[in-house]
């Protein structure tokens, strides 16, 4: 049976880049940029005043001048018509171009008006180019502004807009099929009898897919009946990613592995030395898709999605760095098994570390409520001491 990291490296070996498509900037939120973006011109494109105030000749100030005659007012979006002469200044607004004849801006806070045409500089010190954002200081034309892959988060969206990228090259998101299984599992719109449970994992999986922007092409439930399973999975396997829930363990009604084999799915691995989620099966379909058959318990479903489905997506988007983040676990955690264990972690607002809390088992529907990530207790560690740094997978996708 594979260990966690061995299973992860098998998944990485399967990943290949998703196709690239172009979407309007207004639809690019949270998508993954597939091509680097370069500056179309210098940024700032001109020497720009960073403050409301006056623009002066530094030499005048250095020679002792403190009073200046206002030659002209320059607003953002317009330019000066005259060059500064000795003892003169511009009134200048934030965002306005600072003409070459001025080489320092003094803030309004540091000047007083003697008359509407005459100001006095109060500052003790004026340094060259102060409060002037210089042309090209952020980017020079042709510089790489955004590397790829890069998630189009809020600041990337702002930068793309600043660069005039209206059509954004992003990786196409793969379509997903979700198939839940189990005779005891009923749709949430129905009243379950005493021995039935609601199909919560369908919604859990929808929500997880939604965070990655994955379109869900098929979402169905199948009872533990090989013929019906075969029919449902037959349709599901047309999608790039098929996520199956339940029916993958060793019970008498766990038909998923056999049905997948009958449908030509080649097993990449079945069962991994992890807790929760040990029964997971990952395989490839005859037409190049990938199947993740996740165990049915809610926490197992969440953890195995985070560990394996997200690893696959991450690699297909071309991210090279690890998804794991370092974080401090504030409370002691013992471990009895020799498995890699995964558990919900909760961020403590006042200390910035994380804590874990016991639950009864992976069937608890509240085990992960309010958690910020999934912590990793490595297989070879008996216990984690209080305040040790561990690796976590953040609950947000990226
Ligand atoms: P299985 O992996 O099919 O053996 O199921 C393991 C446990 O997860 C059982 O207690 C199931 O009732 C439960 N379970 C299976 N499918 C779901 C589902 N879609 N939503 C919530 N719980 C489920
Ligand atoms: Mg089942």
């Amino acid at each position: 049976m594979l260990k966690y990291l061995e299973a992860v490296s098998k998944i990485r070996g399967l990943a290949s880049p998703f196709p690239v498509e172009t979407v309007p900037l207004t639809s690019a939120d949270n998508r993954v940029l597939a091509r680097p973006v370069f500056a179309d011109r210098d940024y700032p494109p001109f020497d720009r005043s960073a403050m409301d105030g006056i623009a002066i000749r530094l030499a005048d100030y250095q020679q002792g001048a403190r009073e200046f005659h206002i030659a002209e007012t320059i607003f953002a979006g317009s330019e000066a018509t005259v060059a500064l002469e000795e003892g003169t200044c511009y009134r200048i607004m934030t965002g306005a171009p600072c003409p070459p004849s001025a080489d320092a801006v003094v803030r309004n806070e540091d000047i007083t008006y003697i008359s509407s045409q005459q100001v006095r500089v109060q500052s003790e010190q004026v340094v060259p180019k102060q409060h002037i954002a210089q042309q090209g200081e952020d980017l020079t034309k042709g510089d790489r502004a955004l590397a790829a892959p890069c998630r189009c988060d809020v600041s990337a969206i702002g930068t793309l807009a600043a660069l005039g990228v209206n059509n954004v090259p992003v990786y196409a998101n793969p379509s997903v099929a979700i198939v839940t299984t189990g005779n005891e599992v009923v749709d949430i719109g129905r009243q379950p009898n005493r021995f039935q449970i609601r199909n919560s994992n369908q919604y859990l999986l929808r929500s997880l897919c939604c965070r990655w922007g994955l379109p869900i092409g098929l979402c169905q439930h199948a009872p533990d009946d090989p013929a019906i399973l075969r029919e449902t999975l037959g349709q599901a396997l047309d999608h790039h990613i098929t996520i199956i829930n339940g029916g993958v363990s060793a019970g008498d009604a766990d038909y998923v592995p056999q049905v997948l084999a009958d449908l030509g799915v080649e097993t990449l691995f079945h069962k991994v030395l992890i807790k929760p989620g040990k029964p997971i099966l990952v395989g490839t379909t005859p037409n190049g898709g990938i199947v993740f058959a996740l165990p049915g318990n809610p926490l197992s479903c969440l953890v195995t999605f985070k560990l394996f489905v997200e690893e696959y997506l991450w690699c297909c988007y071309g991210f090279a760095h690890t998804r794991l983040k370092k974080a401090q676990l504030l409370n002691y955690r013992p471990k009895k098994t020799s498995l890699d264990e995964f558990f919900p972690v909760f961020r403590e607002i006042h200390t910035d570390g994380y804590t874990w809390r016991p639950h009864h088992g992976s069937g608890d529907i509240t085990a992960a409520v309010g958690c910020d990530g999934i912590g990793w207790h490595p297989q070879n560690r008996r216990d984690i001491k209080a305040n040790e740094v561990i690796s976590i997978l953040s609950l947000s996708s990226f």
Side-chain angles (χ1 to χ4, degrees), residues 358-392:
H359 51 263
H360 302 95
S362 54
D364 281 8
I365 60 169
T366 56
V369 170
C371 84
D372 298 285
I374 302 295
W376 176 19
H377 193 150
Q379 40 94 21
N380 57 355
R381 295 289 312 277
R382 275 185 69 82
D383 45 20
I384 298 171
K385 296 188 180 58
N387 300 322
E388 258 194 68
V389 172
I390 62 162
S391 295
I392 64 165

Coordinates of all heavy atoms in Angstrom, one line a residue, residues 358-392:
P358 N -10.4 17.1 19.2 CA -10.8 15.7 18.9 C -12.2 15.6 18.3 O -13.0 16.5 18.5 CB -10.7 15.1 20.3 CG -10.3 16.1 21.3 CD -10.3 17.4 20.6
H359 N -12.4 14.6 17.5 CA -13.7 14.3 17.1 C -13.9 12.7 17.2 O -12.9 12.0 17.5 CB -14.0 14.7 15.6 CG -12.9 14.3 14.7 ND1 -11.9 15.1 14.3 CD2 -12.8 13.2 14.0 CE1 -11.1 14.5 13.4 NE2 -11.6 13.3 13.2
H360 N -15.1 12.2 17.0 CA -15.3 10.8 17.2 C -14.8 10.0 16.1 O -14.3 8.9 16.3 CB -16.8 10.5 17.4 CG -17.4 11.3 18.5 ND1 -18.0 12.5 18.4 CD2 -17.4 11.1 19.9 CE1 -18.4 13.0 19.5 NE2 -18.0 12.1 20.5
G361 N -14.9 10.5 14.9 CA -14.4 9.7 13.8 C -14.7 10.5 12.5 O -15.3 11.6 12.6
S362 N -14.4 9.9 11.3 CA -14.5 10.7 10.1 C -16.0 10.8 9.7 O -16.3 11.4 8.7 CB -13.7 10.1 9.0 OG -14.0 8.7 8.9
G363 N -16.9 10.1 10.4 CA -18.3 10.2 10.1 C -19.0 11.4 10.8 O -20.1 11.7 10.4
D364 N -18.3 12.1 11.7 CA -18.8 13.2 12.3 C -19.1 14.3 11.2 O -18.2 14.6 10.5 CB -17.9 13.9 13.3 CG -17.8 13.1 14.6 OD1 -18.5 12.0 14.7 OD2 -17.2 13.6 15.6
I365 N -20.4 14.8 11.3 CA -20.6 15.8 10.2 C -20.2 17.2 10.7 O -20.2 18.2 9.9 CB -22.2 15.9 9.9 CG1 -23.0 16.2 11.1 CG2 -22.6 14.6 9.2 CD1 -24.5 16.5 10.7
T366 N -19.8 17.3 12.0 CA -19.3 18.7 12.5 C -17.8 18.7 12.7 O -17.3 19.8 13.1 CB -20.0 19.0 13.8 OG1 -19.7 17.9 14.7 CG2 -21.5 19.1 13.6
A367 N -17.1 17.7 12.3 CA -15.7 17.6 12.7 C -14.9 18.8 12.1 O -14.0 19.3 12.7 CB -15.1 16.3 12.2
A368 N -15.3 19.2 10.9 CA -14.5 20.3 10.2 C -15.2 21.7 10.3 O -14.6 22.6 9.7 CB -14.3 19.9 8.8
V369 N -16.3 21.8 10.9 CA -17.0 23.0 10.9 C -16.1 24.2 11.5 O -15.6 24.0 12.6 CB -18.3 23.0 11.7 CG1 -19.0 24.3 11.9 CG2 -19.3 22.0 11.0
G370 N -15.9 25.2 10.7 CA -15.2 26.4 11.2 C -13.7 26.2 11.0 O -12.9 27.1 11.4
C371 N -13.2 25.1 10.4 CA -11.8 24.9 10.3 C -11.2 25.7 9.2 O -11.9 26.2 8.3 CB -11.4 23.4 10.1 SG -11.5 22.8 8.4
D372 N -9.9 26.0 9.3 CA -9.2 26.9 8.4 C -8.3 26.1 7.5 O -7.7 26.6 6.5 CB -8.4 27.9 9.1 CG -9.3 28.8 9.9 OD1 -10.0 29.7 9.3 OD2 -9.4 28.7 11.1
G373 N -8.1 24.8 7.8 CA -7.2 24.0 7.0 C -7.2 22.6 7.5 O -7.9 22.2 8.5
I374 N -6.4 21.8 6.8 CA -6.2 20.4 7.2 C -4.7 20.2 7.6 O -3.8 20.5 6.8 CB -6.5 19.4 6.0 CG1 -8.0 19.6 5.6 CG2 -6.3 18.0 6.4 CD1 -9.0 19.3 6.6
G375 N -4.5 19.8 8.9 CA -3.1 19.6 9.4 C -2.6 18.2 9.0 O -3.4 17.3 8.8
W376 N -1.3 18.1 8.9 CA -0.7 16.8 8.6 C 0.2 16.3 9.7 O 1.1 17.0 10.1 CB 0.1 17.0 7.3 CG 0.9 15.8 6.9 CD1 0.7 14.5 7.2 CD2 2.1 15.8 6.0 NE1 1.7 13.7 6.6 CE2 2.5 14.4 5.8 CE3 2.7 16.8 5.3 CZ2 3.6 14.1 5.0 CZ3 3.8 16.4 4.5 CH2 4.2 15.1 4.3
H377 N -0.2 15.1 10.2 CA 0.7 14.5 11.3 C 1.4 13.4 10.5 O 0.9 12.3 10.3 CB -0.3 13.9 12.4 CG 0.5 13.5 13.6 ND1 -0.1 13.6 14.8 CD2 1.7 13.1 13.8 CE1 0.8 13.2 15.8 NE2 1.9 12.9 15.1
P378 N 2.7 13.6 10.2 CA 3.4 12.6 9.4 C 3.5 11.2 10.1 O 3.6 11.1 11.3 CB 4.8 13.2 9.3 CG 4.6 14.7 9.6 CD 3.5 14.8 10.6
Q379 N 3.5 10.2 9.2 CA 3.4 8.8 9.7 C 4.5 8.4 10.7 O 4.3 7.7 11.6 CB 3.4 7.9 8.5 CG 4.4 8.2 7.3 CD 5.7 7.5 7.4 OE1 5.8 6.5 8.1 NE2 6.7 8.0 6.8
N380 N 5.7 9.0 10.5 CA 6.8 8.6 11.4 C 6.9 9.4 12.7 O 7.9 9.2 13.4 CB 8.1 8.7 10.6 CG 8.4 10.1 10.1 OD1 7.5 11.0 10.2 ND2 9.5 10.3 9.5
R381 N 5.9 10.2 12.9 CA 6.0 11.0 14.2 C 4.9 10.5 15.2 O 3.8 10.4 14.8 CB 5.6 12.5 13.9 CG 6.7 13.2 13.0 CD 8.0 13.4 13.7 NE 7.7 14.0 15.0 CZ 7.6 15.3 15.2 NH1 7.6 16.2 14.2 NH2 7.3 15.8 16.4
R382 N 5.4 10.1 16.4 CA 4.4 9.6 17.4 C 3.5 10.7 17.8 O 2.3 10.6 17.9 CB 5.2 9.1 18.6 CG 5.6 7.6 18.4 CD 6.2 7.1 19.7 NE 5.2 6.9 20.7 CZ 4.4 5.9 20.9 NH1 4.5 4.9 20.0 NH2 3.6 5.8 21.9
D383 N 4.1 11.9 18.2 CA 3.3 13.0 18.7 C 3.8 14.3 18.2 O 5.0 14.4 17.8 CB 3.1 13.0 20.2 CG 4.4 12.8 20.9 OD1 5.5 13.0 20.3 OD2 4.4 12.4 22.1
I384 N 3.0 15.3 18.2 CA 3.4 16.6 17.8 C 3.3 17.4 19.1 O 2.3 17.4 19.8 CB 2.4 17.2 16.8 CG1 2.5 16.4 15.5 CG2 2.8 18.7 16.5 CD1 1.4 16.8 14.5
K385 N 4.4 18.0 19.5 CA 4.5 18.8 20.7 C 3.8 20.1 20.6 O 3.7 20.6 19.5 CB 5.9 19.0 21.2 CG 6.6 17.7 21.5 CD 8.0 17.9 22.1 CE 8.6 16.5 22.4 NZ 8.7 15.7 21.1
A386 N 3.3 20.7 21.7 CA 2.6 22.0 21.6 C 3.6 23.0 21.0 O 4.8 23.0 21.3 CB 2.2 22.4 23.0
N387 N 3.1 23.8 20.1 CA 3.8 24.9 19.5 C 4.8 24.5 18.4 O 5.6 25.3 17.9 CB 4.6 25.8 20.5 CG 3.6 26.4 21.5 OD1 2.5 26.8 21.1 ND2 4.0 26.5 22.7
E388 N 4.7 23.2 18.0 CA 5.6 22.8 16.9 C 5.0 23.3 15.6 O 3.8 23.5 15.4 CB 5.6 21.2 16.8 CG 6.9 20.6 17.4 CD 7.0 19.2 17.0 OE1 7.2 18.9 15.8 OE2 6.9 18.3 17.9
V389 N 5.9 23.5 14.6 CA 5.5 23.9 13.3 C 5.2 22.7 12.5 O 5.9 21.7 12.4 CB 6.6 24.8 12.6 CG1 6.2 25.1 11.2 CG2 6.8 26.1 13.4
I390 N 4.0 22.7 11.9 CA 3.5 21.5 11.1 C 3.2 22.1 9.7 O 3.2 23.3 9.4 CB 2.3 20.8 11.7 CG1 1.1 21.7 11.8 CG2 2.7 20.2 13.1 CD1 -0.2 21.0 11.9
S391 N 2.9 21.1 8.8 CA 2.4 21.5 7.5 C 0.9 21.4 7.4 O 0.3 20.5 8.0 CB 2.9 20.6 6.4 OG 4.3 20.7 6.3
I392 N 0.3 22.4 6.8 CA -1.2 22.4 6.7 C -1.6 22.7 5.2 O -0.8 23.4 4.5 CB -1.9 23.4 7.6 CG1 -1.6 24.8 7.3 CG2 -1.6 23.1 9.1 CD1 -2.5 25.8 7.9

